[in-house]
Amino acid sequence: MGSADSDIVFQSYGRCCNNKSFFIDFYDRFMGSSEAVRALFKNTDMPAQRHLLRNGIMQLVLHARGMPATKLKALGESHSRKGYNIRPEWYGLWLESLLVTLRKHDPQFDDDTALAWRRAIEPGIELIRGAY
Ligand code: HEM
């Protein structure tokens, strides 16, 4: 991953993450993508969860910029079979929901931005998924 990717991603996220409706739209999309995913958030305080995800995505972006993986390792633990039991195949839905929501909210989003996001955050996602 070149640092050019992480610059594109950092700026793209900056255009999205201060808008509360970005996170509302993300979870609408993500929970709409599968009955099993919706069931996982049945008892979740969604306003709090949206706030936590704002930081979680930032951790993925910072990891792409060379930050140590400490916070992502903790997410790997909490999402593992000992924790929320998040099955590895669900991360694909998560990433696709994120990209659709970015395309909707970032006025400068294009195919290069999408590729930069994929390349930048896939290692961090892999770290969380791999802890299963
Ligand atoms: C790599 C992508 C993901 C990131 C960055 C992420 C981020 C987070 C964060 C920051 C939290 C709160 C902190 C914690 O409890 O450890 C959380 C909780 C949670 N996440 Fe994720 N997550 C990801 C993928 C997923 C996927 C794919 C699912 C389900 C299919 C999922 C389901 C959950 C659930 C059920 C909770 C707990 C909700 C509750 O407290 O009721 N996450 N996630």
Side-chain angles (χ1 to χ4, degrees):
M1 205 259 329
S3 72
D5 281 342
S6 87
D7 286 348
I8 290 168
V9 162
F10 207 63
Q11 284 162 26
S12 171
Y13 197 43
R15 290 188 291 271
C16 295
C17 74
N18 290 322
N19 184 348
K20 265 203 282 187
S21 67
F22 176 81
F23 297 95
I24 293 172
D25 285 352
F26 168 80
Y27 276 112
D28 281 355
R29 180 97 201 171
F30 185 42
M31 289 159 81
S33 67
S34 147
E35 194 62 55
V37 170
R38 186 167 32 254
L40 286 166
F41 293 104
K42 201 174 44 156
N43 298 314
T44 300
D45 173 353
M46 288 314 291
Q49 182 65 23
R50 291 192 282 267
H51 194 77
L52 290 167
L53 186 70
R54 185 183 192 278
N55 291 314
I57 295 172
M58 184 55 84
Q59 293 305 321
L60 292 175
V61 175
L62 290 173
H63 182 61
R65 291 171 82 89
M67 284 276 290
T70 321
K71 297 250 171 65
L72 296 182
K73 283 184 182 151
L75 287 177
E77 284 280 301
S78 70
H79 287 65
S80 76
R81 71 182 85 219
K82 290 191 223 136
Y84 308 133
N85 195 24
I86 303 306
R87 303 174 69 87
E89 62 265 28
W90 287 335
Y91 288 88
L93 291 176
W94 189 95
L95 179 58
E96 295 315 313
S97 301
L98 180 66
L99 288 167
V100 167
T101 313
L102 286 164
R103 190 178 290 279
K104 178 173 170 193
H105 282 264
D106 176 1
Q108 297 180 38
F109 198 92
D110 59 16
D111 291 348
D112 288 338
T113 320
L115 264 179
W117 268 99
R118 284 185 190 280
R119 282 195 297 247
I121 69 176
E122 258 165 7
I125 294 174
E126 205 42 60
L127 205 148
I128 299 172
R129 176 175 28 208
Y132 187 71

